[in-house]
Amino acid sequence: MNKNIVILGTQWGDEGKGKIVDCLSADAAYVVRYQGGHNAGHTLMVNDEKIILHLIPSGILYNDVIGVITNGVVVSPFELIKEIHMLEKHKCFVKKRLFVSHAATLILPYHIEMDLAREKKLGKQSIGTTGRGIGPAYEDKIARRALRMEDLKNEHMLSMRLEEIVEYYNHQLVSYYKQKSINYKKILQDLIPKIDFIHDMIRDTTNILNEGIKQNKKIIFEGAQGSFLDIDHGTYPYVTSSNTTIGGVITGTGLGPKHFNCILGITKAYSTRVGHGPFPTELFNHVDKHLSKIGHEFGSTTGRKRRTGWLDAVYLRKAVKMNSLSSLCITKLDVLDGLDEIKICTSYKKNTHGLKNTLHSNISNQHDFLRPVYETHCGWKEKTLGIKKIEDLPYEAQNYIKRIEEITEIPVDIISTGPKRSDIIFVRNLSYNK
Ligand code: IMP
């Protein structure tokens, strides 16, 4: 059996994947980003230093781990270089052990302008994007007009293609969105001096990973965003533009499904969502204040306040099924410390007819008609921060975990009880799908 682990979010992102990737990467050979771009924000606390990674995989902080950004990722060359330099300031040197797929789509300044212009025009109907140009870059990819990493290697072609694409964008930006036009020569001027720096990092990353697999090396695949931000399976249109669910690993890396049989879903002990869109268990009371304050629920990419709510087990069960999760990791359990009671949404009631759906119900996009039905659990007063063994957790916290296992029908293998690497409970060895 291979040792590879896929780590993905089961909610709307910000589940704490970065820390878990970091914790499981100590003995890994490769850590891999396979979708999304620098819209992600993975926060790590190492030796009391806070490091936020947006594009480079989190496991890179271990000196002998190789970082791989595959074809499914949308890459801003400017952000990539900025992040490499940021890591150097933390004495983490990655340039020689970070590879980017030749087929990864480039994010360039016109994508960002377009993202912002669209959101502005949508007004109250806006998606609440991170403004990083993610949607327009993926659109270019699907429309087969994108510039890719490999295009950086041919300056003449790059210049010609850039001129064409910018003309296309300027037409929309100026005529439709009433924004200023963009000068392709300025983009080229900024881009060309950066090419030398990244030239040698551009590789066939599928080959690199296949070689690792052949040598039986451990590979960690780090998902970005969460299952319900998936372009196909999420709360459309309030989603990101990539496949954040399990299929994204396959298309994003070029590896076949037999290499992924440890699929670890990360879920917060409660729910959060940043940006707009349905969020049935959202709270607007003192519990929201508690979760925001104690959980520091502010976006690590945009600084926006995250919306907070109780754990939604209807969604969580759906995430288990659609990703074939082998087990769960529950993060931020300590944030629930001190609450009198804790709720889990186990079904929905239809607002109009009072009909109850069950845990097995399908979630459609008709969220406005659904009201969550909760079961209530006793809270605990003791601190769970930093506890290392499950049997040392308060009895009520142990019951909460057991109930999540019952509802989801998969084991909870890892519990995170604080922001540091050491604040973690390994309940058992990671589960694998047979
Ligand atoms: P985009 O990915 O910037 O296009 O944003 C689309 C939606 O996904 C917005 O609601 C964002 O707030 C959300 N989103 C994108 N990346 C993340 C993330 O890493 N964590 C949480 N939400 C995200």
Side-chain angles (χ1 to χ4, degrees):
M1 170 128 16
N2 68 62
K3 307 179 242 180
N4 306 328
I5 305 171
V6 180
I7 293 173
L8 47 80
T10 61
Q11 298 167 311
W12 288 277
D14 306 316
E15 297 91 351
K17 297 176 289 293
K19 173 188 158 171
I20 304 305
V21 170
D22 174 65
C23 286
L24 294 174
S25 297
D27 62 342
Y30 300 92
V31 282
V32 181
R33 273 283 308 267
Y34 54 85
Q35 47 71 225
H38 66 294
N39 49 348
H42 295 161
T43 307
L44 308 161
M45 285 297 294
V46 184
N47 304 329
D48 290 327
E49 276 183 282
K50 188 171 171 179
I51 300 180
I52 302 177
L53 291 169
H54 298 286
L55 188 56
I56 299 178
S58 304
I60 202 80
L61 299 184
Y62 294 96
N63 283 330
D64 45 3
V65 169
I66 294 171
V68 184
I69 297 174
T70 64
N71 57 297
V73 180
V74 281
V75 180
S76 155
F78 301 105
E79 293 301 320
L80 178 67
I81 295 174
K82 212 160 100 187
E83 209 160 291
I84 293 173
H85 290 322
M86 180 277 291
L87 283 170
E88 283 167 357
K89 286 197 185 126
H90 289 276
K91 307 245 172 316
C92 178
F93 301 95
V94 301
K95 196 168 171 307
K96 294 211 164 76
R97 54 188 179 93
L98 180 64
F99 301 115
V100 186
S101 170
H102 65 286
T105 297
L106 293 183
I107 297 188
L108 289 168
Y110 44 84
H111 294 125
I112 294 165
E113 293 304 323
M114 185 57 96
D115 194 355
L116 299 175
R118 281 208 186 122
E119 286 284 276
K120 195 166 158 201
K121 181 143 180 109
L122 281 168
K124 283 193 178 144
Q125 311 291 321
S126 69
I127 307 291
T129 71
T130 58
R132 300 295 191 264
I134 306 296
Y138 275 114
E139 264 177 65
D140 271 4
K141 170 177 169 165
I142 300 301
R144 297 167 289 188
R145 74 176 156 253
L147 286 166
R148 312 202 300 178
M149 266 340 248
E150 62 194 352
D151 295 316
L152 295 177
K153 292 185 169 181
N154 183 338
E155 221 175 288
H156 177 64
M157 276 294 286
L158 178 69
S159 168
M160 277 176 29
R161 298 270 321 280
L162 202 57
E163 187 176 4
E164 268 169 37
I165 297 172
V166 170
E167 190 189 347
Y168 166 82
Y169 272 99
N170 274 340
H171 181 64
Q172 293 184 58
L173 280 169
V174 176
S175 310
Y176 187 70
Y177 291 105
K178 312 290 178 221
Q179 300 297 310
K180 283 192 194 135
S181 63
I182 288 174
N183 183 341
Y184 90 91
K185 285 190 182 148
K186 166 84 175 72
I187 299 176
L188 204 59
Q189 224 174 48
D190 293 342
L191 194 56
I192 286 179
K194 310 280 181 200
I195 296 177
D196 256 5
F197 188 86
I198 39 185
H199 187 278
D200 291 347
M201 295 162 58
I202 304 172
R203 302 286 174 93
D204 184 328
T205 52
T206 307
N207 276 351
I208 294 178
L209 294 176
N210 270 317
E211 198 48 45
I213 288 168
K214 206 161 132 193
Q215 292 172 19
N216 206 24
K217 297 267 174 72
K218 177 173 170 181
I219 309 177
I220 308 259
F221 297 90
E222 176 179 8
Q225 293 84 45
S227 293
F228 297 103
L229 287 176
D230 184 283
I231 185 77
D232 288 296
H233 303 286
T235 46
Y236 191 89
Y238 299 98
V239 292
T240 190
S241 301
S242 64
N243 283 115
T244 58
T245 51
I246 190 69
V249 192
I250 296 165
T251 54
T253 59
L255 301 176
K258 72 178 178 188
H259 301 301
F260 312 107
N261 42 19
C262 176
I263 308 166
L264 180 66
I266 315 292
T267 184
K268 264 184 199 166
Y270 48 98
S271 305
T272 62
R273 172 162 204 168
V274 63
H276 306 150
F279 186 8
T281 66
E282 185 167 10
L283 293 164
F284 300 95
N285 58 11
H286 67 284
V287 180
D288 167 45
K289 289 204 177 82
H290 172 103
L291 298 174
S292 284
K293 186 169 166 220
I294 311 293
H296 307 289
E297 294 298 354
F298 296 88
S300 45
T301 299
T302 57
R304 290 177 289 179
K305 181 192 176 303
R306 294 179 185 142
R307 299 152 68 191
T308 70
W310 294 118
L311 184 69
D312 191 325
V314 180
Y315 271 90
L316 186 54
R317 273 177 67 104
K318 185 170 174 178
V320 170
K321 284 186 196 150
M322 73 183 168
N323 293 301
S324 299
L325 295 184
S326 38
S327 64
L328 282 174
C329 161
I330 296 182
T331 58
K332 291 195 150 185
L333 184 70
D334 55 298
V335 176
L336 300 183
D337 296 356
L339 289 175
D340 292 327
E341 53 182 33
I342 295 164
K343 296 187 184 194
I344 303 180
C345 165
T346 52
S347 61
Y348 292 121
K349 206 180 202 171
K350 282 195 183 140
N351 250 352
T352 38
H353 312 294
L355 280 176
K356 249 193 194 182
N357 288 336
T358 68
L359 275 168
H360 306 274
S361 61
N362 282 332
I363 302 160
S364 72
N365 263 354
Q366 305 300 310
H367 297 83
D368 290 348
F369 305 110
L370 297 177
R371 288 172 71 93
V373 176
Y374 292 110
E375 57 181 40
T376 303
H377 296 260
C378 285
W380 54 88
K381 295 290 164 213
E382 304 91 320
K383 273 192 173 172
T384 60
L385 181 78
I387 287 181
K388 303 278 187 330
K389 288 191 200 147
I390 189 157
E391 53 275 23
D392 294 340
L393 286 176
Y395 170 76
E396 296 82 359
Q398 291 187 41
N399 276 348
Y400 187 62
I401 304 287
K402 268 190 216 139
R403 183 65 185 131
I404 294 172
E405 288 186 320
E406 261 169 34
I407 292 174
T408 57
E409 300 178 78
I410 56 168
V412 171
D413 284 343
I414 302 177
I415 303 164
S416 172
T417 58
K420 292 187 187 155
R421 265 181 186 164
S422 52
D423 301 331
I424 196 157
I425 302 174
F426 288 102
V427 183
R428 61 179 77 75
N429 286 336
L430 282 178
S431 308
Y432 283 78
N433 291 329
K434 299 274 167 12

